[in-house]
Every structure is written in structure tokens, then in C-alpha cells.
Amino acid sequence: MSTKLSKKDLSNLNAFCSVERLRSFTQAANELGITTSALSHSIKNLEQRLGVKLLNRTSRTVAPTDAGANLARRLEIGFKEIGLALNDVNQYRDRPFGKLRLSVLTDSARLILGKYLPRFLSEYPDVELEVSVDDHMMDIVGEGYDAGIRFGGTVPEDFVAAKLGTELKWVTVASPKYLFEHPAPDTPEDLYQHVCIRLRNGRGEVFKWDFERNGEQRIIDPRSNICVNETALSIELSLAGTGITYCLEELIKPYLKSGELVLVLPDWCTFEPPMFLYYPGHRQVPQGLRELIATLREEIDFDIASSL
């Protein structure tokens, strides 16, 4: 292969790196924003030009050949240098530019990005932002993301973490319809006699419900016939009168105000660490990411001050 690379060569090599890293044509195609067919064609062209098979493909798995693994290792270094060089150039721009990829929890998407992202997008139109909403814990570096947003206490220790807001209040709620048909619990232990809509987190664990009142703590592991992995669905089920939901108070404030939901055990609640935006410390921070953090913090701090 000639040492002079064409635009097509670079595109095909980048496509190969995505497939090798994700071990999936479907996921790589989604990441690159192209069809699986187009991606397969790119890899085929690259292998034909090199005259070497780079990937072993079956109906279920994708794995690099020895030649492919060696090429991927070398390309990772090269593309990382290219990315750093482009970031260096962007420092001379008056405004942030380029693409940012974020991996965020469902709750953080609703509470933070849904509320505060419009200002950032309006002020920095040259930043192309891609947000993946997924509660599963993942290696954001390995998956090609620039940053993530997670609950405090779940951020890996070797990342830089920027706090977004204050502690989060967890409460239990139900609809007036459910409470009319079922006597309201007086203590956390009474929840064992109720339909509790359980929630499974991104690590595959079912949440236990933590409560505190005047320094007294309770941990309840409710049992019922319903468990979901999305907070929004658990809230909808409570609105329909199905049972009691344990969730962030901020998510259900409009329903509390309208009376569609009512606090259960209002004297019992718990406070947990806030959300954090985190990113790898060994990389140069893109200008767009710095501005995003600053914008989110300004908007959140303004809302907090306004509510006092």
C-alpha cells in the first residue's frame, strides 16, 4: 500500500478501527453514522487493497486476525495523535468546534441535559454533540466517548469528575387512586405489604430503598411482581395506580404539584451524591467539553439560587 493515504483510505481505516474496537458491525455502523452494508463494503475494500484479511466474521462474532490486531494497535496510536493535533488547532479558534460524544444515564438526560443543553447548543453551533442515553455501565474510553454523566460514587477513580448540582433527594410516591385502595404505610417496613415498583440499575442490580429520618436509617428490599429498568416507566406505572415508586424527587415535582402523585412516608427520605460529568484525565480536554461543563454548572447554579 502506498504511504500516501487518500481520503478514502483514512475513512476505511477509521471504519476498521471502530469494528475492531466494538467487535460488532452493527454497533460500529451506528457509531459512524452509516449503514451496516456501507461499513462492510469499506472493510472489504480495505482488505482487498492491503491483500490481507483483517477480520474473521461469523453470523454472531467479529474478531481481528493477527494482522488485523497488529494494524489496530498501530492505528490507535496514529489516530490518537491526529485527534490531539486537531484539538491543538482548535485551541486557536474563537469558538469551540468539532464533535463531542457523551454517554449519560436516563435520569441525567432528563434532569440535566433536557433542561440545560438548549443554551449550549444555541451558543456553540459549531459543536456537533452526540448523546447516548444508556443506564448500563460502560468503558467510555473504549466505546469512543469523550465524557459521561453518572451518579456520584459510580464514577471510576482514574477519571476527572465535575460535580453537577447538589445532593439528590430520593422519595417514595404513589397516586391518590392507589392510596385510596391501599392504606398508606406508616413505616418503611409497611412497604412489604404494598405493591412496590422495583427498579433495576445499569449494573443489573435491583435497587434497595434507603430511608432516613432524624438520623435513623432503614434499608428496605421490597418484593413484588413488577420490576423495570427505567425510572420513567416506574413513574408512569405509579401514575396509573399500579403501586409505589422510589425515585428522585426532582423527576416527579410536576406530578406532586398537580396532585397526580403524592409523597408516601414524607418524613422518610434519603440524600445521595449528585450527578457528575466525568472524562479521562490523560487526554487533552476538548474546548467544547470545557464550555459544556461551564454552561451546565452556570445553569444549574442559577436554578439552585433561584429556588432559595
Side-chain angles (χ1 to χ4, degrees):
M1 185 175 182
S2 170
T3 56
K4 184 177 180 179
L5 297 176
S6 67
K7 180 179 179 180
K8 185 177 181 180
D9 291 330
L10 288 172
S11 177
N12 290 344
L13 288 169
N14 184 53
F16 163 71
C17 285
S18 294
V19 176
E20 193 278 337
R21 172 168 49 82
L22 297 172
R23 305 297 170 93
S24 166
F25 272 81
T26 301
Q27 292 182 36
N30 289 336
E31 178 179 280
L32 296 168
I34 61 177
T35 65
T36 305
S37 177
L39 177 58
S40 180
H41 188 66
S42 294
I43 300 300
K44 182 178 179 180
N45 286 342
L46 180 62
E47 289 179 327
Q48 287 179 344
R49 177 159 186 185
L50 292 173
V52 176
K53 188 175 184 180
L54 301 174
L55 297 169
N56 288 318
R57 286 164 274 187
T58 69
S59 59
R60 294 186 176 182
T61 63
V62 178
T65 62
D66 290 343
N70 181 63
L71 178 62
R73 284 194 297 269
R74 302 289 296 274
L75 288 176
E76 181 181 7
I77 298 171
F79 278 118
K80 184 178 292 184
E81 285 299 316
I82 291 173
L84 291 173
L86 292 175
N87 283 335
D88 285 343
V89 171
N90 284 334
Q91 306 307 313
Y92 295 95
R93 296 174 57 90
D94 293 333
R95 299 170 64 82
F97 174 86
K99 186 173 184 177
L100 282 179
R101 300 186 72 233
L102 302 180
S103 171
V104 304
L105 293 172
T106 304
D107 287 351
S108 59
R110 303 290 184 272
L111 293 177
I112 297 176
L113 297 188
K115 293 176 64 176
Y116 307 121
L117 203 54
R119 174 190 158 188
F120 175 82
L121 295 173
S122 175
E123 293 184 356
Y124 303 104
D126 293 332
V127 176
E128 181 183 348
L129 188 62
E130 180 181 335
V131 179
S132 174
V133 181
D134 192 334
D135 286 339
H136 290 91
M137 297 300 293
M138 66 175 67
D139 174 10
I140 61 170
V141 175
E143 297 291 338
Y145 292 98
D146 296 288
I149 300 180
R150 294 287 184 270
F151 290 114
T154 66
V155 177
E157 293 183 358
D158 54 343
F159 283 78
V160 178
K163 185 172 72 170
L164 301 176
T166 58
E167 286 185 318
L168 301 169
K169 184 179 181 181
W170 292 80
V171 298
T172 43
V173 294
S175 70
K177 175 186 176 183
Y178 177 85
L179 294 176
F180 177 78
E181 298 172 349
H182 304 80
D186 295 318
T187 68
E189 287 75 14
D190 291 340
L191 290 170
Y192 289 117
Q193 309 304 319
H194 284 265
V195 178
C196 295
I197 303 168
R198 297 179 295 159
L199 187 66
R200 190 178 298 276
N201 64 23
R203 294 188 296 272
E205 304 164 346
V206 177
F207 269 115
K208 293 182 180 180
W209 296 12
D210 293 337
F211 296 93
E212 183 175 347
R213 184 183 68 177
N214 300 325
E216 187 179 0
Q217 294 183 329
R218 294 281 192 278
I219 298 178
I220 303 300
D221 188 9
R223 293 282 180 251
S224 71
N225 64 342
I226 177 67
C227 180
V228 301
N229 69 343
E230 183 190 41
T231 306
L233 177 57
S234 70
I235 293 172
E236 289 178 6
L237 290 172
S238 275
L239 286 167
T242 301
I244 299 174
T245 290
Y246 181 78
C247 63
L248 291 171
E249 183 183 50
E250 192 67 27
L251 288 170
I252 44 85
K253 276 186 175 180
Y255 302 119
L256 293 176
K257 186 175 181 180
S258 67
E260 294 174 86
L261 290 176
V262 179
L263 287 175
V264 175
L265 298 171
D267 295 334
W268 292 87
C269 64
T270 189
F271 290 87
E272 297 290 343
M275 297 280 188
F276 283 80
L277 186 150
Y278 67 105
Y279 54 90
H282 63 275
R283 292 182 177 178
Q284 186 173 7
V285 184
Q287 186 181 4
L289 182 57
R290 289 201 302 270
E291 296 298 340
L292 175 63
I293 294 171
T295 299
L296 294 179
R297 282 182 153 178
E298 287 176 9
E299 291 289 293
I300 293 171
D301 289 346
F302 177 80
D303 267 5
I304 293 173
S306 300
S307 65
L308 297 178

